[in-house]
Amino acid sequence: MAIDRTFLFGEDHLTASIALGMAHGAIKGIFSDKCLKNVNASYQRVQRIVEKGDTVYGINTGFGPLCNTKISKEDTKILQSNILQSHSVGVGHPISAELAKIMLILKIHALAKGYSGIAETTLQRMLWHLDNDAIPVVPSQGSVGASGDLAPLSHLFLPLIGLGKVEYHGKTIPTQELFKQTGLKPLELGPKEGLALINGTQFIAAHGVMVVHKLQYCLRHADIIGAMMLEGLQGSMKPFFEELHELRPFKGNQHVAGRIRTLLQGSEILEDHIDCERVQDPYSLRCMPQVHGASRNAWLHLKELLEIELNSVTDNPVIINDELTISGGNFHGQPLAMALDYAALAASEIGNISDRRIYLALEGNSPGVPKLLMNDTGINSGYMILQYTSAALASENKSLCFPASADSIPTSLGQEDHVSMGSISGRKALNIIENVEKILAIELLTSAQAFEYRKPLKSGIVLDEIHTFLRTKVAFAENDRVFADDIEKGIEIIQNREIIDLVDRVMDEKQLKWNTPHLEEFETY
């Protein structure tokens, strides 16, 4: 991928999209002379503390409950190497290389701010790993999100001292093999460096980056697919009127209503039933702005908090200046843990209401749309069993919605007596979102089947284009077939964001504009 721009670590403002751009190779992170000057100044402050002999946590003391154990000047370097090894206790399947790379990006940015006492050589080696795509292998389990993400960050930085494993050129290899191939040698960490590397929230925050990214696309898909289902079932347009949402002006509600109004603009299907006798639609159609909108609001909250975290110093202790070193709690994961739990609930609700629309489509209560979305039923089961799958996924998501941040188990012999469990919040949120993608794929198939029965009437330009595109991938079903194949194609369309790309292209080609409040807030991250 061609590099579009550069990013100044420690100076520029980091966002989720910039972190993803760096992880995918479109943005290159670099250090300025100013950044390295600040980093070296902080490093020298730590050296002076060691020479002076003042007791400062993590520099010349043990860790956690051993904070009162003084470490000699000669042993401070051994201490830093030992902490990486002793804290590398992660278990479970490794996280993806993409997530590990984002962790590395976030940690480099935090350390480059010059408050951590890290050596320039250590920071440059971290950047080497990033630039050369030699990504450490990080187990998914083992962090309680208290002193940050101790176990995952320890694994992330084992390669600095010649230990652990990395993904390199498509293979997982021991770090020693990487050194043989590249000529690198292990680093000798200085005072505080080990602690600076493993204290922080970068595992939680990396998951936050992916949640913001993937949930945003789920939300966009939900509006589009929900609008197609509204057309297929001849739902009313009135619940999406701007006048209604001005009376309850939540940003998410207004945004969703505006998106659906735009998608249905010029619809012949709407005109065909504008004077029908139906008084109101079931909530899964009528309340899309309120339900999708509430999830949008939760997404926006997470995005705002995450952006603060991405540009923060979250290790401990923090070297403020020559006179002030603070042992505090900036590593505690609670600010993101709670927001990620909220985002997990928001994602689950998108799947929940989507499943209800799928069920609604099967009932046969909309004129012209047959029960189970197929004319010849009895011998055929139609789309009946697809809803079993969406129900199973929606139920699984509900079971995953218990907030991890509501729990705390004391660790470190009671020194860390309240922990955030934010790593679990992040992992669960991504799991839920993956299930939502599958539910939305099933709604895409069922909404398209219902939509077919409205022909020859046309919908809005964008929805018609989506339906035409979908029929190049999945045929209209007149009889039963192995619907798992259809679902897999639907999931692929959702995960590859083919519909989103199509919508953007059609809007551009037809010179259409979104009649959507708060567009920039909800479409950028």
Side-chain angles (χ1 to χ4, degrees):
M1 181 181 288
I3 296 174
D4 295 332
R5 53 169 285 198
T6 57
F7 176 85
L8 295 178
F9 279 121
E11 297 178 66
D12 286 347
H13 188 74
L14 186 59
T15 65
S17 62
I18 292 172
L20 285 161
M22 278 194 274
H24 299 157
I27 300 172
K28 181 173 176 58
I30 61 174
F31 302 126
S32 71
D33 290 341
K34 177 185 175 184
C35 164
L36 294 179
K37 182 180 178 181
N38 292 336
V39 167
N40 284 312
S42 182
Y43 176 76
Q44 290 302 323
R45 289 185 184 112
V46 171
Q47 306 314 304
R48 287 194 288 272
I49 290 170
V50 174
E51 290 297 327
K52 194 175 178 182
D54 292 341
T55 302
V56 178
Y57 172 73
I59 295 178
N60 49 21
T61 75
F63 307 116
L66 303 175
C67 60
N68 295 317
T69 303
K70 188 77 179 286
I71 305 297
S72 69
K73 175 182 173 182
E74 294 74 22
D75 289 338
T76 53
K77 291 184 178 179
I78 298 173
L79 177 69
Q80 303 306 314
S81 175
N82 281 352
I83 192 176
L84 284 184
Q85 297 180 67
S86 66
H87 287 55
S88 294
V89 294
V91 296
H93 296 294
I95 63 174
S96 68
E98 181 183 29
L99 262 177
K101 192 182 292 189
I102 294 170
M103 283 181 68
L104 189 56
I105 290 163
L106 304 189
K107 193 65 180 181
I108 292 172
H109 185 53
L111 295 176
K113 290 182 176 294
Y115 293 94
S116 302
I118 202 82
E120 180 182 338
T121 51
T122 305
L123 206 54
Q124 294 286 8
R125 177 65 65 85
M126 293 163 65
L127 185 60
W128 182 92
H129 276 273
L130 181 62
D131 288 345
N132 290 275
D133 215 23
I135 306 304
V137 174
V138 178
S140 57
Q141 295 171 292
S143 171
V144 295
S147 289
D149 298 305
L150 294 173
L153 284 168
S154 297
H155 285 276
L156 187 71
F157 294 120
L158 277 178
L160 297 181
I161 59 173
L163 302 175
K165 297 179 180 179
V166 296
E167 285 196 29
Y168 188 61
H169 292 170
K171 295 181 179 179
T172 300
I173 59 174
T175 299
Q176 288 298 320
E177 179 60 30
L178 175 73
F179 284 4
K180 287 178 184 178
Q181 293 183 29
T182 60
L184 292 177
K185 295 186 182 302
L187 298 178
E188 185 179 78
L189 299 177
K192 192 187 178 297
E193 287 199 272
L195 193 60
L197 291 169
I198 72 169
N199 261 213
T201 60
Q202 284 73 36
F203 183 89
I204 300 172
H207 281 75
V209 167
M210 291 305 298
V211 169
V212 163
H213 175 60
K214 297 186 76 169
L215 180 54
Q216 203 252 18
Y217 280 101
C218 279
L219 292 164
R220 291 177 71 181
H221 276 116
D223 295 342
I224 295 165
I225 297 167
M228 182 175 283
M229 186 67 88
L230 189 79
E231 287 283 71
L233 302 183
Q234 286 193 324
S236 172
M237 186 63 186
K238 283 187 177 180
F240 306 93
F241 280 12
E242 190 172 4
E243 294 86 346
L244 176 66
H245 297 283
E246 286 176 348
L247 300 177
R248 197 188 188 200
F250 287 110
K251 289 181 179 180
N253 303 28
Q254 291 180 312
H255 183 73
V256 171
R259 279 172 59 80
I260 293 175
R261 285 197 306 272
T262 303
L263 291 168
L264 297 183
Q265 192 172 352
S267 168
E268 294 177 0
I269 298 172
L270 278 178
E271 290 296 323
D272 185 60
H273 67 96
I274 198 166
D275 295 320
C276 71
E277 295 181 358
R278 187 188 302 177
V279 176
Q280 58 185 16
D281 297 318
Y283 289 0
S284 60
L285 294 179
R286 192 189 347 156
C287 298
M288 276 192 277
Q290 289 79 11
V291 178
H292 292 194
S295 293
R296 288 263 183 184
N297 293 332
W299 176 89
L300 185 60
H301 185 56
L302 174 62
K303 181 189 81 163
E304 291 170 346
L305 294 182
L306 177 67
E307 207 162 306
I308 294 171
E309 190 79 342
L310 297 186
N311 295 284
S312 297
V313 175
T314 59
D315 68 306
N316 182 63
V318 175
I319 315 299
I320 304 296
N321 53 44
D322 286 327
E323 289 76 37
L324 184 59
T325 297
I326 300 176
S327 182
N330 274 9
F331 49 64
H332 202 292
Q334 195 80 351
L336 284 190
M338 293 178 69
L340 284 165
D341 283 333
Y342 183 19
L345 177 61
S348 179
E349 278 301 284
I350 290 297
N352 196 10
I353 195 171
S354 177
D355 169 71
R356 292 299 80 212
R357 288 192 295 265
I358 294 165
Y359 186 91
L360 188 65
L362 303 179
E363 287 185 319
N365 292 335
S366 182
V369 177
K371 189 176 291 186
L372 303 176
L373 295 173
M374 197 174 284
N375 283 318
D376 190 12
T377 51
I379 191 172
N380 292 298
S381 295
Y383 280 74
M384 180 199 306
I385 309 301
L386 279 76
Q387 193 266 329
Y388 280 47
T389 303
S390 68
L393 292 165
S395 181
E396 182 178 326
N397 278 351
K398 293 170 191 176
S399 72
L400 290 170
C401 276
F402 178 85
S405 59
D407 186 33
S408 176
I409 299 176
T411 57
S412 194
L413 303 184
Q415 181 74 5
E416 298 166 11
D417 56 354
H418 182 280
V419 300
S420 75
M421 301 299 181
S423 66
I424 302 169
S425 303
R427 287 170 42 231
K428 289 200 302 98
L430 282 181
N431 192 348
I432 288 170
I433 289 168
E434 288 168 4
N435 286 339
V436 172
E437 290 173 341
K438 297 167 187 173
I439 296 170
L440 289 171
I442 294 171
E443 188 186 359
L444 177 63
L445 301 176
T446 51
S447 66
Q449 186 78 0
F451 196 90
E452 194 93 27
Y453 290 105
R454 298 301 165 205
K455 290 186 175 182
L457 295 174
K458 292 184 177 296
S459 181
I461 295 171
V462 176
L463 292 183
D464 270 340
E465 289 279 359
I466 291 171
H467 190 263
T468 300
F469 161 76
L470 184 63
R471 285 292 171 249
T472 67
K473 304 279 188 175
V474 181
F476 175 74
E478 295 185 10
N479 298 290
D480 287 349
R481 58 188 184 225
V482 180
F483 284 116
D485 296 339
D486 293 6
I487 295 171
E488 284 303 315
K489 289 176 183 175
I491 293 170
E492 186 177 308
I493 289 168
I494 296 291
Q495 292 180 340
N496 292 339
R497 287 136 203 171
E498 295 174 64
I499 287 176
I500 302 295
D501 292 343
L502 176 62
V503 169
D504 291 342
R505 188 167 64 251
V506 172
M507 294 285 289
D508 186 56
E509 289 173 356
K510 303 296 183 181
Q511 296 184 320
L512 303 173
K513 293 189 180 298
W514 289 106
N515 179 21
T516 310
H518 314 294
L519 184 64
E520 185 174 353
E521 285 182 272
F522 286 111
E523 297 302 321
T524 59
Y525 54 89

